[in-house]
Amino acid sequence: MNTTTPTLDQIEELAAQYPSRFTNINQTLQSLRHARGATSGPQEATAAAHYQDYLKNGGIPIGPNGSMPPRTDMLDQQFGSASCNCGAASPCCLTGLTFSCSHGSLRMSLPLEESDAKEPILTLITDKQGSPNNHDKITITPDLKPSGATCRMSDKAPVLRITGTYTGDMKLSAPVSWNVTYHDASHLGTTSFGRFASALKYSLFDDISGLAKFLELEVLSCARRSELNSIVHVYPRLEWGAEAFSFEIKATFLSNFTFLPGVTLAGEVSGTFHTDTFKVGAEFSTDDKPMEHSKSMIPFLDRILTRMQSLTGQASGHKSGSETRSKIEVTHKFEFGKSTFKLLEHPSDRTLIGIDSEVNIGYAPLLGIKCEIDVIDLVLTAAQGFPPAAGFARALQKARDAAATGYGDKDSAVQASAHVALKLAAEGTVGGGVSIKRSPADTTWQGSGKVEGKIAFSLTGVARAEGRIYVVEGSFAADSSAITDVTATLSTLTTAESAAAKGAKFKTKIEWGGIKVKYKAVGRAGWSFGNSSFERAGELIVQNEDTWYENTY
């Protein structure tokens, strides 16, 4: 009986050399990893148990003095008998890979050093001009033992398999290289303005990592050598500059569902995105694709317009003559001072992208709102769900029905004039300026500045139904008043905040003060609740306070 007491290290070496001598090699390796965190007693018990399993399956015992069984050469028969562990009898073996590109020599070596805690990721920028597209030439040199002419692999040499935006197999019997291009750039824009908008989005208001395309590199040899596998992140060329340039988005929504977008430009900004250059200035026209060009490059503008449209309730389709009941105009304008942006390779971290940029932005305004919104249906819905306001709700409903249908012929004596109006109105702006900058070696942005302010809303109105010949006897007047506001804040993040937010640069919060209506009714109750005179007053919460938008980007 073998009485040798093996260590965990010795069992791991036996598992690497003779995996077939263990009943379940995967369970053995997992058990050994768990035992590493235990005390000496459980470690010894684990090593002894797996050693007995190794011997039962015909394993060669460890020597009395702790000497290990002689090494045997592990050959990969599928790939030309390439050696997996570089044993003494190996005809040839692959021990590592070295990566370089057009921007410099050594970029990454595999397997990674134990001191290298980063993932096996290499970031490339395809900014070298060539045909048919911009590219970055990558070269992978296999480390073969023995090197030179004495290492003669057959045609079935270990293979580097590439999957992703480019797919192919390359033999690793010698250095391999190819031009890595940025595939499928259609999402970057098809017009000069589209490329500008996309460039600005990724540069300032979105995560730049969203631009990356991915290649997975896998070595097919020796049961797929995971320590030689890697991922390549591919970025397009992106650089732009502006001396003095302004961009204003204006969107007008009418309650007959008419949407009138517009963009006004002044000055000039130019740059290159992927293989295409762009130049945008005051002479640019948005007539060809106004809806596309008016889309907000800052997401909260779209959210505000959507929330304000929702205030119109079910009345958004009603019209009175040729006039619509609601009109919402939202504007946003930013002005560049001297600003530049360029993607570069990071000087010290192969896994990251480098950015060289300084951007100065004046918001004139960050947010502008001018509106008259018919909120009667919104108020009506709230009143119908609040029993103390039942009379108010009935008055609003009668007035709404009268306004929507009218009574008889307008020239006849039986025509009633129906009036209903509850208007939420506002006109104001929030403006200011911010600056951000970043050098290629940085991993976060440095920023300064804050934009903050309020836009006040008022709500006033009347609801009444009257006529020379009353279809419904009596009259009802409901006067209401309310005040609320939208608070808009945009600021740059501190270095710590930017790092926690994965490189974000700004934070924005838009808060809505809600709607609270005070109403007072005076008149003869002749509709559905008797003919007595009355005076009623109350307060109705139509909408609670709410955060319309809060995000970092």
Side-chain angles (χ1 to χ4, degrees), residues 393-448:
R394 285 192 291 269
L396 292 179
Q397 185 65 61
K398 291 285 187 180
R400 161 56 74 217
D401 293 343
T405 62
Y407 299 121
D409 190 323
K410 67 178 181 179
D411 296 323
S412 73
V414 297
Q415 169 65 33
S417 62
H419 303 283
V420 57
L422 287 176
K423 293 288 187 180
L424 185 68
E427 183 171 1
T429 60
V430 176
V434 295
S435 297
I436 57 173
K437 63 181 180 179
R438 178 170 166 174
S439 65
D442 292 335
T443 56
T444 58
W445 291 81
Q446 297 179 357
S448 60

Side-chain angles (χ1 to χ4, degrees), residues 292-306:
E292 174 184 325
H293 297 151
S294 67
K295 288 181 179 178
S296 171
M297 284 174 284
I298 303 182
F300 74 77
L301 289 179
D302 298 326
R303 179 73 62 85
I304 290 172
L305 186 59
T306 299

Side-chain angles (χ1 to χ4, degrees), residues 537-552:
E539 185 174 83
L540 175 67
I541 297 177
V542 178
Q543 275 199 340
N544 291 315
E545 296 179 359
D546 191 17
T547 298
W548 277 359
Y549 183 85
E550 184 173 14
N551 200 11
T552 57

Side-chain angles (χ1 to χ4, degrees), residues 494-508:
T494 65
T495 300
E497 288 173 331
S498 179
K502 298 181 179 180
K505 298 167 277 297
F506 307 101
K507 59 182 177 182
T508 299

Side-chain angles (χ1 to χ4, degrees), residues 65-223:
N65 59 353
S67 60
M68 299 295 291
R71 289 178 175 269
T72 60
D73 193 20
M74 297 169 59
L75 301 181
D76 190 335
Q77 300 297 333
Q78 182 180 357
F79 293 99
S81 297
S83 174
C84 296
N85 61 350
C86 295
S90 302
C92 188
C93 66
L94 174 65
T95 62
L97 300 174
T98 300
F99 292 70
S100 60
C101 71
S102 301
H103 294 85
S105 53
L106 176 63
R107 292 294 309 282
M108 180 171 66
S109 292
L110 297 178
L112 299 174
E113 298 288 339
E114 290 186 5
S115 59
D116 190 345
K118 298 182 179 66
E119 296 294 321
I121 294 173
L122 181 62
T123 298
L124 303 179
I125 301 178
T126 56
D127 59 359
K128 298 299 181 184
Q129 295 183 352
S131 179
N133 293 308
N134 287 3
H135 65 272
D136 190 2
K137 184 176 183 179
I138 186 171
T139 299
I140 301 178
T141 303
D143 186 5
L144 303 173
K145 303 293 184 183
S147 60
T150 57
C151 184
R152 295 185 177 89
M153 286 187 176
S154 70
D155 290 340
K156 293 184 178 180
V159 168
L160 178 70
R161 174 156 294 172
I162 307 166
T163 57
T165 55
Y166 168 82
T167 301
D169 289 348
M170 296 186 177
K171 297 173 184 176
L172 288 173
S173 55
V176 296
S177 62
W178 74 98
N179 289 339
V180 178
T181 59
Y182 189 83
H183 286 265
D184 187 19
S186 58
H187 66 291
L188 304 183
T190 56
T191 65
S192 187
F193 185 87
R195 287 189 291 274
F196 154 70
S198 187
L200 207 61
K201 170 189 173 185
Y202 283 109
S203 301
L204 301 181
F205 307 124
D206 213 338
D207 184 356
I208 194 68
S209 65
L211 267 181
K213 304 284 188 178
F214 302 96
L215 296 176
E216 295 186 15
L217 309 184
E218 183 181 20
V219 174
L220 303 184
S221 178
C222 303

Side-chain angles (χ1 to χ4, degrees), residues 18 43 55 156 339 376 404 439 535:
Y18 305 101
Q43 285 188 2
L55 294 176
K156 293 184 178 180
S339 301
I376 187 170
S439 65
E535 179 173 345

Side-chain angles (χ1 to χ4, degrees), residues 208-265:
I208 194 68
S209 65
L211 267 181
K213 304 284 188 178
F214 302 96
L215 296 176
E216 295 186 15
L217 309 184
E218 183 181 20
V219 174
L220 303 184
S221 178
C222 303
R224 303 195 172 191
R225 301 272 302 275
S226 60
E227 76 274 14
L228 299 182
N229 297 341
S230 59
I231 297 176
V232 177
H233 293 178
V234 183
Y235 284 84
R237 179 182 179 185
L238 175 54
E239 56 182 290
W240 56 266
E243 289 288 338
F245 175 77
S246 66
F247 179 94
E248 182 178 21
I249 302 172
K250 179 179 292 185
T252 302
F253 173 80
L254 305 178
S255 59
N256 62 356
F257 297 106
T258 301
F259 182 72
L260 304 174
V263 176
T264 303
L265 308 177

